[in-house]
């Protein structure tokens, strides 16, 4: 693993922890937080997560006409969420399933607004690119110095 890749991975791991911390208060199953991971190469850093993570930042729009069914469906996701949060205790009880259905119907109709204040973009905005570039430059100088010293000793 190259020096730049190590630095970028370190930055990525730090960002992953910050993203996870910022969404902790709305955690249900933990699947979204667990999906956040960093992948670094010598010149790129990607922080990957489940596609729906941006709903925590922007909310969810109402379901449009002709929308394709999700997998799992919104109803299935809300049912799991309701069980985890203790809103329903017996998923086989028609009355409790009715609560899940009503929540799902409301979200389909009106969407959902996040109660978090920019949990993802605030982390992205906090990246200090100047500091990162200084660290990369310092490591590169160290490597070049070591290479030059080895080369001069061989002369």
């Amino acid at each position: 693993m190259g020096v730049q890749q190590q630095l970028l991975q370190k930055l990525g791991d730090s960002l992953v922890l910050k993203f996870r911390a910022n969404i902790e208060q709305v955690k249900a199953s933990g699947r979204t937080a667990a999906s956040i991971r960093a992948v670094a190469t010598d010149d790129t850093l990607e922080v990957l997560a489940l596609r729906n993570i941006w709903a925590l930042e922007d909310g969810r729009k109402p379901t449009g006409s002709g929308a394709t069914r999700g997998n799992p469906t919104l109803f299935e996701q809300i049912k799991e969420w309701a069980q985890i949060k203790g809103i329903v205790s017996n998923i086989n009880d028609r009355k409790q399933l009715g609560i899940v259905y009503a929540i799902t119907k409301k979200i389909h109709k009106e969407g959902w607004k996040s109660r978090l204040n920019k949990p993802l973009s605030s982390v992205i905005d906090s990246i200090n690119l100047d500091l990162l570039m200084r660290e990369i430059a310092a490591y590169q100088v160290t490597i070049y110095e070591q290479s030059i010293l080895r080369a001069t000793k061989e002369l």
Side-chain angles (χ1 to χ4, degrees):
M1 184 180 287
V3 173
Q4 278 136 251
Q5 184 177 4
Q6 289 175 22
L7 282 170
L8 289 173
Q9 188 64 51
K10 182 179 165 186
L11 170 65
D13 293 343
S14 161
L15 293 173
V16 166
L17 293 175
K18 289 177 183 178
F19 284 130
R20 287 179 179 165
N22 280 7
I23 65 172
E24 178 69 26
Q25 60 187 300
V26 294
K27 183 169 98 176
S29 70
R31 227 182 348 266
T32 300
S35 77
I36 305 170
R37 66 191 188 287
V39 179
T41 66
D42 269 343
D43 56 1
T44 63
L45 170 63
E46 291 182 296
V47 179
L48 308 170
L50 291 173
R51 183 177 72 177
N52 64 348
I53 195 168
W54 283 101
L56 296 175
E57 176 106 359
D58 303 322
R60 181 191 189 278
K61 293 181 180 179
T63 304
S65 62
T68 59
R69 250 185 127 107
N71 184 17
T73 65
L74 181 60
F75 179 78
E76 291 164 341
Q77 292 177 51
I78 297 299
K79 185 167 65 172
E80 180 186 22
W81 169 82
Q83 288 175 301
I84 291 167
K85 292 295 190 177
I87 295 168
V88 297
S89 56
N90 180 0
I91 209 60
N92 296 319
D93 178 26
R94 290 180 57 86
K95 188 175 183 181
Q96 290 187 28
L97 262 182
I99 295 168
V100 173
Y101 177 76
I103 293 169
T104 304
K105 186 176 178 181
K106 181 172 174 69
I107 292 172
H108 274 305
K109 183 179 179 182
E110 299 176 15
W112 172 81
K113 291 189 183 356
S114 177
R115 59 185 173 99
L116 300 176
N117 185 20
K118 305 293 181 194
L120 306 173
S121 60
S122 65
V123 173
I124 295 166
D125 293 343
S126 74
I127 298 171
N128 186 337
L129 291 177
D130 289 336
L131 178 61
L132 179 63
M133 293 306 292
R134 282 195 298 272
E135 288 180 10
I136 290 172
Y139 273 118
Q140 285 294 7
V141 166
T142 302
I143 288 171
Y144 293 141
E145 284 177 347
Q146 291 170 354
S147 295
I148 292 168
L149 288 174
R150 273 194 304 271
T152 56
K153 287 180 182 178
E154 293 174 4
L155 292 177

